[in-house]
Amino acid sequence: MSQLAVKTHLREERLRHIWCPGCGNGIVMGAIARAIDKLGLNPDQTAIVSGIGCSSRASGYMDFDTLHTTHGRAIPFATGLKLARPELNVIVITGDGDAAAIGGNHLIHAARRNIDITVVCFNNNIYGMTSGQYSPLTPRGMKATTAPYGTIDRSFDLCRLVGAAGASYVARGTAYHVRQLINLIANAIAKKGFSFVEAVSQCPTYYGRRNHLGSAVDMLRWQKEHAVPVKAAANMTPEELEDKIVIGELQNLSGQPEYVSEYYRLVREVQHQHAALR
């Protein structure tokens, strides 16, 4: 896919970006733009909604109708938008802190409702914008400004959480495996119902330095060496998977009731009942 395809979907007047050198957010944002291009979506019928955090700056750089909302509330804004304008393709850009902490309940209930929006979670394991507090996705034992001796919290597996809540489509990719990530995001957007893609990314500044993980290239190499395709993971023991990340399509359900369709079906039924009483 050409660089022109990505350039078409960026607001060049907003660049250069403010992300740190080596940050993976640009790779993931590029994957979203390429996925949109791959599907041939009409930019005028595509909306990007973000919350607060490093990842959420992407909505300012992408040339669509965009909403940069409050912390953790991107999904409620997206839900309102989708209900009011069902014909739109609504894509939420969020981070691990934004989606799993303050916005955690919104994520769970959007999956439970199976509303037809796509959420791409940039998972860099840290609150980067506010200088490195640990998030619900910071691995146990890793250090942050709020966990100088290592966090004792167990981290969420967001994909399993969202899948269990009822999402139609769940996948995980990495910034290293960018071609696969593009395809996963495209599949998620094309899927009817709630779709979720966790994009494992690297934060060499606030996560990498504090945990002595090396450069951005070293962190990308870690993704390469620790990612396991979902089919291979099915034949591995829990001990073998302990320090691995499973990538690929994790859940793809068909025939699940979708929230917006159900909502408008109910509206029509109520209107019909009231008309019959006149």
Side-chain angles (χ1 to χ4, degrees):
M1 192 148 313
S2 70
Q3 291 298 320
L4 183 61
V6 177
K7 196 174 180 181
T8 302
H9 295 310
L10 295 181
R11 294 169 173 146
E12 290 189 76
E13 71 278 13
R14 297 289 179 89
L15 300 175
R16 300 164 57 184
H17 63 73
I18 63 170
W19 290 319
C20 299
C23 174
N25 286 348
I27 298 173
V28 181
M29 181 181 72
I32 296 171
R34 288 180 169 89
I36 291 171
D37 192 75
K38 179 180 179 180
L39 293 171
L41 300 186
N42 181 349
D44 293 332
Q45 294 293 311
T46 303
I48 306 287
V49 185
S50 69
I52 295 294
C54 293
S55 61
S56 295
R57 294 299 304 164
S59 64
Y61 304 137
M62 302 187 76
D63 193 12
F64 299 90
D65 289 328
T66 59
L67 289 172
H68 189 195
T69 71
T70 49
H71 199 190
R73 314 305 180 201
I75 289 175
F77 277 89
T79 297
L81 178 59
K82 186 67 182 182
L83 277 168
R85 298 283 304 277
E87 75 279 11
L88 295 181
N89 307 295
V90 180
I91 301 167
V92 173
I93 290 175
T94 183
D96 46 300
D98 191 54
I102 193 169
N105 240 5
H106 300 307
L107 178 65
I108 292 169
H109 292 290
R112 177 177 63 85
R113 294 179 179 122
N114 198 35
I115 187 166
D116 187 26
I117 62 177
T118 298
V119 174
V120 180
C121 178
F122 294 42
N123 175 18
N124 63 1
N125 304 118
I126 204 80
Y127 282 93
M129 179 170 279
T130 47
S131 304
Q133 295 81 14
Y134 72 90
S135 85
L137 270 66
T138 302
R140 191 167 183 267
M142 301 303 277
K143 296 178 180 177
T145 55
T146 46
Y149 303 106
T151 176
I152 59 173
D153 288 14
R154 292 184 295 176
S155 58
F156 265 140
D157 183 332
L158 269 195
C159 288
R160 292 181 69 181
L161 181 71
V162 171
S168 283
Y169 185 90
V170 181
R172 182 186 291 116
T174 80
Y176 178 84
H177 303 85
V178 67
R179 289 186 181 276
Q180 180 193 43
L181 183 62
I182 294 167
N183 290 331
L184 293 173
I185 294 172
N187 292 343
I189 296 171
K191 185 71 179 184
K192 185 76 170 177
F194 188 79
S195 55
F196 178 84
V197 178
E198 177 186 344
V200 177
S201 182
Q202 74 278 7
C203 171
T205 301
Y206 290 111
Y207 184 68
R209 284 181 188 169
R210 187 168 291 274
N211 289 286
H212 307 292
L213 300 179
S215 67
V217 173
D218 293 328
M219 296 180 75
L220 283 166
R221 188 177 295 115
W222 185 94
Q223 293 173 21
K224 173 188 175 184
E225 294 172 351
H226 289 78
V228 178
V230 63
K231 287 185 179 178
N235 297 316
M236 296 173 66
T237 66
E239 291 76 19
E240 290 173 325
L241 289 170
E242 195 166 341
D243 65 341
K244 302 294 190 297
I245 47 176
V246 179
I247 60 172
E249 199 171 87
L250 306 175
Q251 180 160 295
N252 190 349
L253 304 178
S254 298
Q256 307 300 306
E258 191 277 320
Y259 190 76
V260 176
S261 298
E262 290 296 296
Y263 174 79
Y264 281 101
R265 177 190 60 77
L266 180 62
V267 169
R268 288 192 298 271
E269 286 181 3
V270 172
Q271 288 174 335
H272 180 74
Q273 291 170 9
H274 280 264
L277 293 174
R278 291 175 185 167

